[in-house]
């Protein structure tokens, strides 16, 4: 918003172009009218003009300076070298791999390590038993099934718990106090007597 309200800031580029003499004619009149009305911009214009005037005349100031032959030959050689295609060095896989590693693989190193771990786990889970272990399994056909082993384990656990913590016998409930007979019985007994 301040940029919109501050007209002088918007005209700084035009003032610089006017000071160097590169501002087109239609804009020039508008900027000159503003300079006549604004002392701050007039001061800025004078400062830029002091810097731009020597730069505009630099060709006249340095006409007498000519480069010597060695400098010209060096420039010509540099220009020719820049235009020629550079010869490719002999291919070596080691620098190519290290450059590829730095550019792509190094940034993904943790992702690749995680994927390697997953593949290792998958490979271990899919390993078939060797023939030697299959022979051992065939010899153990007489052994109990896993269900029977589990039942035996549960029975052993129950027996151990009984030995460690014998079952607590509940004490006999206390005897109940005799209740008095209902009143209807009392009346009938007194009436009969």
């Amino acid at each position: 918003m301040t940029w919109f309200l501050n007209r002088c800031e918007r005209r700084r580029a035009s003032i610089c172009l006017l000071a160097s003499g590169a501002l087109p004619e239609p804009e020039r009149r508008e900027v000159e009218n503003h300079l006549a009305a604004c002392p701050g911009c007039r001061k800025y214009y004078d400062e830029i003009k002091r810097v731009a005037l020597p730069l505009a005349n630099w060709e006249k100031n340095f006409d007498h300076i000519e480069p010597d032959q060695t400098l010209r030959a060096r420039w010509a050689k540099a220009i020719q070298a820049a235009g020629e295609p550079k010869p490719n060095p002999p291919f070596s896989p080691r620098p190519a791999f290290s450059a590829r590693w730095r550019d792509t693989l190094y940034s993904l190193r943790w992702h690749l390590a995680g994927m390697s771990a997953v593949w290792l786990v998958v490979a271990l889970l899919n390993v078939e038993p060797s023939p030697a272990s299959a022979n051992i399994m065939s010899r153990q056909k007489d052994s109990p099934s896993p269900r029977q082993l589990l039942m035996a384990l549960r029975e052993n656990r129950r027996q151990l718990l009984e030995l460690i913590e014998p079952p607590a016998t509940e004490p006999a409930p206390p005897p109940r106090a005799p209740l008095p007979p209902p009143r209807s019985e009392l009346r009938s007994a007194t009436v009969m007597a």
Side-chain angles (χ1 to χ4, degrees):
M1 189 70 177
T2 58
W3 181 80
F4 179 72
L5 296 175
N6 193 352
R7 292 182 179 177
C8 295
E9 286 295 322
R10 291 186 298 168
R11 297 184 191 267
R12 294 291 173 148
S14 300
I15 292 172
C16 292
L17 289 173
L18 179 67
S20 64
L23 191 65
E25 190 62 36
E27 292 179 39
R28 171 178 261 162
R29 288 188 191 112
E30 183 183 331
V31 173
E32 286 175 348
N33 290 338
H34 177 75
L35 287 175
C38 181
C41 288
R42 197 171 30 250
K43 180 181 174 195
Y44 180 73
Y45 172 74
D46 291 337
E47 291 172 0
I48 295 296
K49 186 120 181 158
R50 272 185 275 157
V51 173
L53 192 58
L55 292 176
N57 299 327
W58 72 272
E59 291 175 342
K60 296 174 190 167
N61 295 337
F62 297 107
D63 273 344
H64 63 281
I65 299 176
E66 286 291 325
D68 61 344
Q69 284 300 101
T70 57
L71 187 58
R72 285 185 184 187
R74 199 167 70 194
W75 282 346
K77 199 181 271 185
I79 290 171
Q80 286 175 354
E84 295 175 359
K86 295 181 180 178
N88 290 335
F91 179 74
S92 172
R94 185 177 175 112
F97 179 74
S98 65
R100 175 77 60 182
W101 170 258
R102 270 190 315 269
D103 294 345
T104 56
L105 298 179
Y106 186 73
S107 62
L108 301 172
R109 64 187 182 277
W110 297 113
H111 301 287
L112 294 173
M115 289 299 293
S116 300
V118 168
W119 279 106
L120 182 64
V121 168
V122 168
L124 289 176
L125 291 175
N126 288 325
V127 170
E128 293 287 329
S130 66
S133 63
N135 289 338
I136 293 171
M137 294 292 269
S138 66
R139 283 187 227 149
Q140 293 179 350
K141 287 200 182 213
D142 300 334
S143 64
S145 68
R147 182 183 167 110
Q148 291 171 339
L149 289 174
L150 184 61
M151 295 296 283
L153 180 66
R154 286 184 183 158
E155 181 62 26
N156 285 345
R157 187 177 292 159
R158 186 189 61 74
Q159 290 174 356
L160 281 173
L161 284 174
E162 282 181 6
L163 289 174
I164 294 172
E165 299 173 10
T169 55
E170 292 185 22
R176 292 180 132 195
L179 294 176
R183 285 187 177 181
S184 61
E185 291 176 11
L186 289 177
R187 281 188 206 154
S188 62
T190 54
V191 173
M192 289 187 172

